[in-house]
Every structure is written in structure tokens, then in C-alpha cells.
């Protein structure tokens, strides 16, 4: 139970940050395969493990909600005060999760080069399309019209669909389509209990659930067709996401102190991966 909630929190936190993949966090925690099994299992007409799947998914979703809402303001502060070190913390989390993915999910499957390259190209392509960090844009909440609420449902669908894909950052996709700053601001201010925030968040939540279901079904079909090739593609997504995050730090100047603290942050990310995989059950 604890590991499932921690995994959900990691997914939630990761999906607040452009360039960081919630699916990668699931991989390093070893719950990726179980989620891909549980979602179709809940929706199946005859499922003897339906209750077990529902409990498991509720634990993960509760954790994800905590991560999305509870850490939105914390991460906002970390990126304002220690932007480079925070990025290298997540680089450490992702980079050290690669061996976990290879030894776990890919065990018994041969690496396919072409899907691997395609996966890397997808993430690098998203980075090329990335217009830059729009998170400091002054947020003006749109009026509660049917059109705007449908738009927020669509934003939620994109976030949900990409939430469980290793290497794909839902926040980066939202940044590309110009909705990331609004998405993060809604989450960060949910405790204000303002209906102008709560109602759009409700529609966004519906979209997230729909996106998760569709994403799981797409992955299941891909696994059934060729699981080895699909895993190779996902590995490409993970590797490229690490490279993209590193490239994002090159725009900043470096000094000895920054390099040292960034390296410590990187190792801290690796330490978390080790502890989660050896001691969190």
C-alpha cells in the first residue's frame, strides 16, 4: 500500500514539471506493469481480480492527487530558488531508473533499435517544439463557459493520456499547446476553494481519468502486438528525456558552487531510486 501511494505521489509531482515523466517514476518504483494490467482489468466484463485492481488504482490515484496538489507550490518555490539543482535532482531520478527499467520491465525481451530511436525522436521533437518556459506568465482564469470547460476537459485528457507514458512529459505537452501555466495555477490554488478554480478542475479531473483509460488501452494493444518493441520505444523515451533535461540546463551559466550542488542533487536522485527499489514495499 505504502509503495503504491508513494508511486502515485511521484507520478503527481513529475506531471507538474515540464520535461519530467510520471511514467518514468512508475518504472523506477516497479509499479508500471501492474498499472497497465489493472486499468483494463477493472474495465473488463469478467474480472476475478477487480476488487484488488480497484484498491490498487485508488491508492495510486490518491498519491497522484497528493503529488499534483500538495507539491505544486513546493516545486514552484524550488524552481524559483534552485532551478538547476532541482532539474538535476530529476535527471538523477530518471537516469538511475534506466537500469531499473532494463532489469525489470525489459527482462526477457530483446532490445529493438528502430523503436528505441523512434522513442528518442518523439521526446527530442517535443523539445524542439517547446516554445520555452511560460510558467511565469500572469494567469487570467477564463470565464466558466461551456467551451472553456470543454477545453479544460481536453487539457485533462492530454495530461491523463501522457501521465503514465514513460519518458513523455505531460506538462511539456501542455506547455507546447500554451495551457501549462493555467494547469499549474489551478492546482496550486485549489485550496482557495474558489468555484472559478474548483469547477474547471472538476472537468479537468474527468479528462484526466478518460486519458488514463485510453492510454492504458493503447499500451495494452501495443504490448499484445509486440511487447519487446513497445518496451524499446518506451526506453527511448526515457533516455531522451534525460538528455533533454540536461540540454535545458546549458542555457544557464555555471560556477563551481552550482556544479557541485547540481552533482549532489543528481546523486540524491539516484539515492532515492535505490532506496525506493530496495526498501519501499
Amino acid at each position: 500500500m505504502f509503495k503504491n501511494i508513494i508511486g502515485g505521489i511521484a507520478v503527481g509531482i513529475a506531471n507538474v514539471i515540464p520535461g519530467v515523466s510520471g511514467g518514468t517514476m512508475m518504472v523506477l518504483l516497479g509499479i508500471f506493469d501492474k498499472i497497465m494490467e489493472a486499468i483494463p482489468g477493472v474495465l473488463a466484463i469478467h474480472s476475478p481480480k477487480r476488487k484488488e485492481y480497484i484498491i490498487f488504482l485508488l491508492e495510486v490515484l490518491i498519491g497522484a492527487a497528493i503529488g499534483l496538489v500538495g507539491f505544486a507550490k513546493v516545486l514552484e518555490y524550488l524552481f524559483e530558488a534552485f532551478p538547476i539543482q532541482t532539474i538535476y535532482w530529476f535527471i538523477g531520478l530518471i537516469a538511475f531508473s534506466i537500469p531499473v527499467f532494463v532489469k525489470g520491465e525489459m527482462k526477457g525481451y530483446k532490445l529493438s533499435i528502430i523503436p528505441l530511436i523512434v522513442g528518442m525522436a518523439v521526446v527530442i521533437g517535443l523539445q524542439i517544439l517547446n516554445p520555452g518556459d511560460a510558467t511565469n506568465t500572469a494567469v487570467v482564469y477564463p470565464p466558466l463557459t461551456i467551451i472553456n470547460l470543454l477545453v479544460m476537459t481536453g487539457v485533462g485528457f492530454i495530461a491523463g493520456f501522457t501521465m503514465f507514458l514513460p519518458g513523455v512529459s505531460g506538462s511539456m505537452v501542455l506547455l507546447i499547446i500554451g495551457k501549462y501555466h493555467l494547469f499549474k495555477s489551478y492546482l496550486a490554488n485549489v485550496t482557495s476553494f474558489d468555484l472559478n478554480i474548483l469547477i474547471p478542475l472538476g472537468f479537468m479531473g474527468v479528462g484526466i481519468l478518460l486519458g488514463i483509460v485510453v492510454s492504458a488501452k493503447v499500451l495494452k494493444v501495443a504490448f499484445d502486438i509486440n511487447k519487446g518493441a513497445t518496451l524499446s520505444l518506451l526506453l527511448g523515451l526515457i533516455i531522451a528525456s534525460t538528455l533533454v533535461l540536461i540540454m535545458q540546463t546549458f542555457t544557464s551559466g555555471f560556477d563551481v558552487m552550482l556544479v557541485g550542488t547540481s552533482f549532489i542533487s543528481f546523486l540524491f536522485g539516484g539515492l532515492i531510486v535505490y532506496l525506493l527499489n530496495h526498501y519501499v514495499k
Side-chain angles (χ1 to χ4, degrees):
M1 174 181 176
F2 183 63
K3 182 174 183 178
N4 298 335
I5 294 176
I6 290 293
I9 291 174
V11 171
I13 293 174
N15 278 279
V16 180
I17 305 167
V20 180
S21 166
T24 300
M25 298 298 106
M26 288 192 303
V27 168
L28 69 88
L29 286 166
I31 62 174
F32 177 74
D33 271 351
K34 191 170 182 181
I35 287 179
M36 293 303 104
E37 174 189 338
I39 294 175
V42 169
L43 299 174
I45 298 176
H46 301 291
S47 178
K49 300 172 69 174
R50 192 189 309 276
K51 182 178 179 181
E52 176 187 333
Y53 289 148
I54 290 175
I55 293 173
F56 167 71
L57 290 174
L58 281 176
E59 291 169 354
V60 174
L61 288 174
I62 288 171
I66 294 172
L68 282 168
V69 177
F71 286 84
K73 287 186 178 293
V74 174
L75 289 171
E76 206 165 36
Y77 166 76
L78 287 176
F79 270 95
E80 288 177 0
F82 312 102
I84 302 300
Q85 294 91 333
T86 304
I87 289 175
Y88 272 95
W89 174 37
F90 281 96
I91 290 173
L93 286 170
I94 297 171
F96 283 95
S97 74
I98 292 174
V100 176
F101 184 87
V102 173
K103 293 179 181 178
E105 273 72 13
M106 291 204 68
K107 186 176 181 181
Y109 293 95
K110 185 178 179 181
L111 179 67
S112 299
I113 299 300
I114 293 179
L116 178 77
I117 294 173
V118 170
M120 296 181 68
V122 168
V123 176
I124 293 172
L126 288 175
Q127 175 62 21
I128 292 172
L129 292 172
N130 185 357
D133 188 358
T135 60
N136 293 323
T137 303
V139 175
V140 178
Y141 295 122
L144 299 180
T145 64
I146 293 177
I147 297 297
N148 286 331
L149 293 177
L150 289 175
V151 168
M152 292 314 301
T153 304
V155 169
F157 180 86
I158 293 171
F161 187 88
T162 56
M163 184 177 289
F164 291 155
L165 296 179
V168 178
S169 168
S171 289
M172 182 180 288
V173 176
L174 294 181
L175 189 61
I176 291 169
I177 65 175
K179 296 297 181 182
Y180 172 69
H181 65 284
L182 185 61
F183 172 75
K184 192 176 76 167
S185 182
Y186 276 136
L187 292 173
N189 294 285
V190 65
T191 52
S192 67
F193 300 108
D194 184 344
L195 289 180
N196 288 316
I197 294 174
L198 294 180
I199 292 176
L201 270 178
F203 279 82
M204 188 191 301
V206 172
I208 288 174
L209 291 176
L210 290 173
I212 290 172
V213 170
V214 174
S215 177
K217 285 185 172 293
V218 169
L219 277 177
K220 185 179 185 304
V221 171
F223 282 165
D224 289 343
I225 294 173
N226 191 330
K227 187 170 183 178
T230 304
L231 290 173
S232 296
L233 184 142
L234 295 178
L235 179 61
L237 296 174
I238 296 172
I239 293 173
S241 66
T242 306
L243 299 176
V244 162
L245 284 175
I246 293 174
M247 288 188 294
Q248 287 179 356
T249 65
F250 290 165
T251 58
S252 304
F254 284 89
D255 54 41
V256 175
M257 180 63 71
L258 182 58
V259 171
T261 53
S262 297
F263 184 67
I264 292 172
S265 297
F266 173 79
L267 293 180
F268 181 58
L271 177 63
I272 291 176
V273 173
Y274 175 81
L275 294 175
L276 288 175
N277 277 280
H278 287 81
Y279 297 104
V280 179
K281 305 297 182 183

